[in-house]
Amino acid sequence: MPDSTRSAAALLVDCLAVQGCERIFTVPGESFLAVLDALPDRPAIDVVTCRQEGGVTFMACADGALTHRPGIAFVTRGPGATNASIGVHVAMQDSQPMILFIGDVDRGMRDREGFQEVDLVAMFTPLAKLALRIDDARRIPEYVARAYNVAISGRPGPVVIALPEDMLRDEVEAVDRPRVERAHVDNDIVPTLDARRLIEEATAPIAIIGGAHWDAETAEDVQTFAVQFGLPLAAAFRRQDAVDNRCPVYAGNLGYGPNPALVARVRAADVVLVLGARLGEATTDGYSLITTDHPDQKLIHVHPDPNELNRVYRADIAICADPGAFAKMMTLPTSDIAARMLGSRAHAEWLEWSTPKPRDGVTLDLGLCVAAMRERLTAPDTIICNGAGNFSGWWHRYWHYGNPGTQLAPTAGAMGYGVPAAVAGALRCPDKTVVAVAGDGDFLMNGQELATAIQHGANMLVIVVDNGGYGTIRMHQEREYPERLSGTTLHNPDFAALANAYGAWSETVETTAQFGPALDRALAQPGVKLLHLKTDIEIITNGTTIDAIRRAHK
């Protein structure tokens, strides 16, 4: 039977509550005032008021990554929607569940290019997994349930729903739909047995792991069978928390600046198991590390979305299954092949690669700063968040990540993700130490969300690596056009003073020796704290310098 008559906005909020929504991220807009009015009647839903819509969707994306339920975002039409689009793109490329609700023009105003009007369905269809508009308020339960199902099933991703302003004020009768759970993709025994046989008979197998719908149980089962098989585990780009890095067969990560020894292992592999990953451009170094047809390798691809299988890469064995279902079946007892030492040797190579050594003539050595963090923080209890930039390479190389949910980093390579992700992580996981690592250019993309963090009582540490430039682009510039600088130099504020202005504790660090004590003082502080690290752009990555790049070009 229908529930009693409700406004469409109240019905929408009720439907979100039924689906387990505990938090929404928003920049308020007049186009969904009715929803804002309905939220006080649902006090169990925490409303996080942000400072820019890009921060809204980055937070929602990160929240979805941590909970495996859609992160929920509300923004207004036009400028709000266009600002928010960056988080939709990241959620899609990162395979993270999210639902973005956008207040829209009145139904009767559509197609007149009214105030802030955008064809939202047309705009977001290429960016999102699904884009919809609700014109009939009685169908809100249907649309919300569908959005949750699409966002969490198969390859997770973002759903965008436009909400006409006048529709939200309609009074309707409707029946709430029950909570939607992920439709599991069960494993097929025949191809799995074929995959086991290939791995057992291989002389140099390797697995590339991490991606769609990856959780702690999956990580445990993957570690179990990988140790049994002596199978090296290489993490896909920015999926370094796919297993606890203490796993005795963890071999490190692919992406930008990987361990040359790991790259050599992948190239030499006769069997490659790809578990959960899409094998995107970053993971495969432009589809060259593993070629799309790989004539000298057997490729086993396991992914929960059939549309990903054989989409880019020809698979010798394609298995449509949740990574966890496949991993659990692979944990069955195996032969003496478990004595194979490939995995332990690969892990030893990674340990050597991920141990920072002092660099001569470097005043503030970021590798040693990461080592100082490892001495003070435990990986399973720490979430490292970052956006895009060369600064992240020091943490990708030297930090040892814990189980799933300890790395929040955009595989889409979007700048400005780290601080909003840290806000979402700190609110979702108050028992963990949450660290946002940002470059100077990266930080100023969404640094204003420090205000959100302080307003909502987040407990988080921000490390700003300030080298006075867009470091990644400067690196490419020096490789392609050495000594011809254009557009990559930055004039920065005093980041410590800026953090103080927001109400955060802060300190400036200019030498390696200063970092450890400053970190101790920061970790002793409650709330938001920021360390401003002043570095030299000459030390352009964790492995090279600008001078070395220029010399290599000559």
Side-chain angles (χ1 to χ4, degrees):
M1 295 291 293
D3 295 336
S4 58
T5 300
R6 289 170 282 179
S7 71
L11 174 60
L12 175 62
V13 172
D14 288 347
C15 288
L16 290 175
V18 169
Q19 295 301 330
C21 173
E22 302 168 333
R23 177 170 292 124
I24 69 168
F25 302 93
T26 188
V27 169
E30 70 273 18
S31 59
F32 60 98
L33 281 175
V35 175
L36 295 174
D37 181 68
L39 283 166
D41 295 329
R42 284 285 186 176
I45 298 178
D46 181 29
V47 178
V48 179
T49 304
C50 306
R51 299 308 177 99
Q52 205 260 10
E53 291 87 356
V56 168
T57 48
F58 279 155
M59 290 184 203
C61 179
D63 197 51
L66 291 169
T67 65
H68 302 295
R69 299 287 291 179
I72 303 298
F74 276 84
V75 303
T76 197
R77 58 188 179 250
T82 51
N83 283 342
S85 64
I86 185 171
V88 175
H89 182 245
V90 169
M92 189 67 208
Q93 291 220 326
D94 284 29
S95 304
Q96 303 297 3
M98 181 175 78
I99 303 175
L100 170 62
F101 293 96
I102 305 174
D104 200 3
V105 297
D106 285 0
R107 288 165 290 190
M109 298 290 185
R110 193 177 302 153
D111 300 327
R112 291 177 171 176
E113 198 182 346
F115 182 63
Q116 298 183 341
E117 182 180 4
V118 172
D119 186 338
L120 297 169
V121 173
M123 173 185 170
F124 281 99
T125 292
L127 294 178
K129 196 174 178 185
L130 179 66
L132 302 166
R133 176 185 287 107
I134 304 178
D135 285 320
D136 185 346
R138 293 169 298 180
R139 296 180 63 185
I140 286 175
E142 170 195 337
Y143 276 95
V144 171
R146 180 182 178 188
Y148 267 82
N149 181 64
V150 170
I152 63 179
S153 295
R155 174 189 169 189
V159 175
V160 178
I161 298 181
L163 304 169
E165 184 175 358
D166 62 323
M167 182 276 296
L168 290 172
R169 296 190 295 267
D170 288 351
E171 296 287 329
V172 295
E173 291 184 347
V175 178
D176 296 349
R177 290 200 176 186
R179 179 183 169 106
V180 174
E181 300 294 346
R182 174 179 169 85
H184 291 284
V185 186
D186 291 328
N187 204 16
D188 189 333
I189 185 65
V190 175
T192 302
L193 291 176
D194 290 340
R196 282 173 60 94
R197 176 183 53 79
L198 272 184
I199 295 170
E200 287 181 340
E201 294 175 355
T203 58
I206 197 164
I208 299 173
I209 61 172
H213 194 70
W214 197 279
D215 56 23
E217 185 177 356
T218 299
E220 183 177 348
D221 288 335
V222 167
Q223 176 169 325
T224 297
F225 88 73
V227 170
Q228 286 177 342
F229 281 81
L231 180 66
L233 297 176
F237 178 55
R238 290 183 168 168
R239 305 291 193 182
Q240 290 166 254
D241 62 348
V243 295
D244 191 310
N245 294 179
R246 294 171 295 183
C247 169
V249 295
Y250 178 71
N253 62 291
L254 298 172
Y256 301 113
N259 184 356
L262 177 58
V263 171
R265 282 190 177 275
V266 176
R267 292 195 188 282
D270 53 350
V271 173
V272 180
L273 168 63
V274 180
L275 185 54
R278 293 191 300 116
L279 284 184
E281 178 185 353
T283 295
T284 62
D285 191 19
Y287 307 100
S288 65
L289 180 57
I290 303 170
T291 62
T292 55
D293 289 302
H294 48 87
D296 299 320
Q297 295 175 319
K298 296 291 186 183
L299 179 66
I300 305 163
H301 197 177
V302 183
H303 198 279
D305 190 337
N307 294 319
E308 288 300 321
L309 298 171
N310 289 302
R311 176 185 177 192
V312 177
Y313 278 84
R314 176 187 61 79
D316 295 281
I317 300 177
I319 301 175
C320 186
D322 283 331
F326 175 85
K328 195 169 291 296
M329 193 171 291
M330 289 289 284
T331 60
L332 299 174
T334 187
S335 65
D336 291 339
I337 202 73
R340 182 166 53 197
M341 298 301 292
L342 285 172
S344 59
R345 289 173 186 152
H347 186 64
E349 291 169 355
W350 171 74
L351 287 173
E352 170 65 20
W353 173 254
S354 65
T355 300
K357 284 102 179 154
R359 295 175 73 172
D360 293 337
V362 178
T363 303
L364 179 52
D365 190 329
L366 290 176
L368 298 183
C369 292
V370 179
M373 289 178 61
R374 282 170 48 184
E375 291 172 358
R376 292 161 171 80
L377 301 171
T378 59
D381 300 316
T382 304
I383 302 174
I384 302 292
C385 313
N386 65 264
N390 275 2
F391 70 88
S392 64
W394 275 272
W395 278 263
H396 290 354
R397 178 172 176 177
Y398 297 125
W399 182 257
H400 292 186
Y401 291 85
N403 268 321
T406 59
Q407 182 182 37
L408 293 175
T411 66
M415 294 179 70
Y417 177 90
V419 170
V423 175
L427 296 179
R428 180 59 61 184
C429 305
D431 57 324
K432 292 187 182 295
T433 300
V434 179
V435 182
V437 184
D440 44 353
D442 179 70
F443 176 80
L444 283 178
M445 293 281 181
N446 275 311
Q448 75 282 346
E449 299 303 345
L450 287 184
T452 304
I454 290 169
Q455 178 176 341
H456 292 276
N459 185 18
M460 55 187 266
L461 169 65
V462 180
I463 297 175
V464 179
V465 180
D466 176 7
N467 63 7
Y470 285 120
T472 302
I473 309 308
R474 173 70 182 275
M475 175 187 68
H476 291 304
Q477 195 172 57
E478 293 287 357
R479 285 175 175 165
E480 301 296 328
Y481 307 99
E483 301 184 63
R484 292 182 60 80
L485 270 65
S486 176
T488 54
T489 300
L490 296 174
H491 175 75
N492 288 320
D494 181 333
F495 288 106
L498 181 62
N500 285 160
Y502 278 111
W505 179 95
S506 65
E507 192 167 319
T508 299
V509 176
E510 299 187 73
T511 68
T512 307
Q514 291 173 354
F515 180 79
L519 178 60
D520 289 334
R521 290 188 288 274
L523 293 174
Q525 299 294 322
V528 179
K529 41 267 182 182
L530 181 146
L531 293 177
H532 177 193
L533 276 55
K534 292 188 173 182
T535 64
D536 185 353
I537 199 166
E538 167 64 21
I539 315 302
I540 195 67
T541 74
N542 60 71
T544 193
T545 63
I546 290 176
D547 182 63
I549 293 172
R550 289 175 176 176
R551 284 188 279 108
H553 195 274
K554 292 178 180 178

